Amino acid sequence: MIEKFLDRISFNMNWQRGQGTELPRFAGIYVEVLWPVRGIRIGQSRNIFIRHRGALRWYRGMKAGTDRDIDRRGILPDYAREYGADGLEAFLISADPSLDDDLLRKQFEAHLHEWARNQAVWTNFNTENTRRYLG
């Protein structure tokens, strides 16, 4: 399903420090850039703004030691405990109207997670298993 959309949907993959975007309140794909370690975490949501707002709360709570996940270990929780939301910047990758479709949006997220695993410019902070959506 995703193959027929790959060349029709434009993606913003040019993330420049200090040029983050206000995330919209509708469906799409976004990236959180963790500048202190040049890390990326790619996500998708029906409401990108709300999803990222929740993530900001989590990062801050992890640094403050107040989040319920404070004992969780891994690349992202370890980062959050050390930096919190400092140096975190969000970018809209795509809010193409076709991404209103949940399955298509998840397939694009999985495709971008594969890209993140195979590139060498950024530290990959995508830890969830999205490969099941690639078929």
Side-chain angles (χ1 to χ4, degrees):
M1 181 173 168
I2 190 173
E3 289 78 21
K4 69 180 181 179
F5 289 96
L6 277 174
D7 52 349
R8 290 191 215 164
I9 295 179
S10 63
F11 294 98
N12 169 26
M13 302 296 281
N14 183 25
W15 314 311
Q16 302 293 318
R17 190 175 209 151
Q19 296 180 10
T21 52
E22 178 74 22
L23 298 176
R25 295 176 183 267
F26 45 83
I29 300 171
Y30 65 98
V31 64
E32 294 168 350
V33 176
L34 313 163
W35 289 113
V37 293
R38 287 195 49 81
I40 55 170
R41 193 192 109 5
I42 296 167
Q44 60 81 26
S45 180
R46 284 183 206 199
N47 185 324
I48 302 171
F49 177 84
I50 297 293
R51 177 74 180 259
H52 179 63
R53 188 173 68 185
L56 285 173
R57 203 174 6 253
W58 180 79
Y59 283 100
R60 290 179 186 129
M62 290 293 281
K63 184 169 183 174
T66 58
D67 193 87
R68 64 186 165 120
D69 289 338
I70 194 63
D71 293 327
R72 193 173 133 206
R73 296 289 175 239
I75 190 170
L76 192 57
D78 293 348
Y79 173 89
R81 270 191 300 281
E82 184 172 349
Y83 296 100
D86 298 338
L88 178 70
E89 191 171 12
F91 294 85
L92 179 65
I93 291 178
S94 183
D96 187 280
S98 62
L99 295 173
D100 283 341
D101 179 272
D102 286 340
L103 180 58
L104 182 63
R105 195 172 59 251
K106 288 174 183 172
Q107 288 175 330
F108 269 105
E109 178 190 36
H111 175 77
L112 291 171
H113 281 200
E114 285 294 313
W115 168 83
R117 277 189 269 287
N118 295 313
Q119 55 77 42
V121 175
W122 302 95
T123 302
N124 182 17
F125 276 73
N126 299 295
T127 57
E128 61 212 277
N129 181 10
T130 57
R131 289 181 176 148
R132 66 186 173 276
Y133 296 115
L134 292 177

